[in-house]
Amino acid sequence: MNKVNLDNISLTCYLNEATEISQKECHLGIISMNNKGEIRFEEDARKGSTHWERNPRLYEGKTINMTRRKDGSLRFQFKKVNTEAEDFKAEDYAFRVYTELTQALKNII
């Protein structure tokens, strides 16, 4: 995942039901830019589809994934680890997890 900063932008949001956006609320949809450089977010109108009920993934790494729940909280999932491999070292694994956690949090802050 790459973090992209867009300075001095105006974002137009088209929401289906809500009139305001809360920091702890998750809206699923598409962010797009037209040929004039205008950026807009359109909320997905599909309600009730189990595909859209999932927690959106904010970061996917080699050791962890980070998702955001509907209540705005973050959740981390650890990927499968082969601790029986010859080259497995707990210190190296812990450092990779730390590095990815730091990167994931930097992407959203």
Side-chain angles (χ1 to χ4, degrees):
M1 176 182 287
N2 296 317
K3 183 176 182 176
V4 177
N5 290 324
L6 301 173
D7 296 327
N8 301 317
I9 67 161
S10 175
L11 176 65
T12 303
C13 297
Y14 296 91
L15 304 175
N16 293 316
E17 297 173 7
T19 56
E20 294 183 13
I21 296 177
S22 167
Q23 285 183 333
K24 292 188 175 186
E25 199 171 2
C26 182
H27 293 269
L28 300 172
I30 299 171
I31 294 177
S32 60
M33 183 185 305
N34 64 16
N35 57 2
K36 297 177 186 175
E38 298 169 336
I39 300 174
R40 61 188 276 163
F41 169 82
E42 290 185 62
E43 186 176 27
D44 194 301
R46 292 180 276 189
K47 299 289 183 192
S49 169
T50 57
H51 175 73
W52 294 102
E53 293 295 320
R54 294 182 57 194
N55 298 327
R57 184 168 291 165
L58 303 177
Y59 178 85
E60 183 171 0
K62 293 182 179 180
T63 59
I64 63 163
N65 292 331
M66 179 176 64
T67 58
R68 184 181 301 276
R69 291 185 158 187
K70 285 186 176 187
D71 66 1
S73 63
L74 299 175
R75 183 177 185 129
F76 295 93
Q77 295 89 25
F78 288 83
K79 294 187 175 182
K80 184 176 159 182
V81 177
N82 183 6
T83 58
E84 297 178 10
E86 283 184 30
D87 59 345
F88 178 81
K89 294 181 183 173
E91 297 83 9
D92 293 341
Y93 175 74
F95 184 73
R96 285 195 306 272
V97 170
Y98 164 77
T99 303
E100 287 192 15
L101 282 169
T102 304
Q103 183 63 43
L105 292 170
K106 282 182 181 177
N107 280 338
I108 62 162
I109 296 175

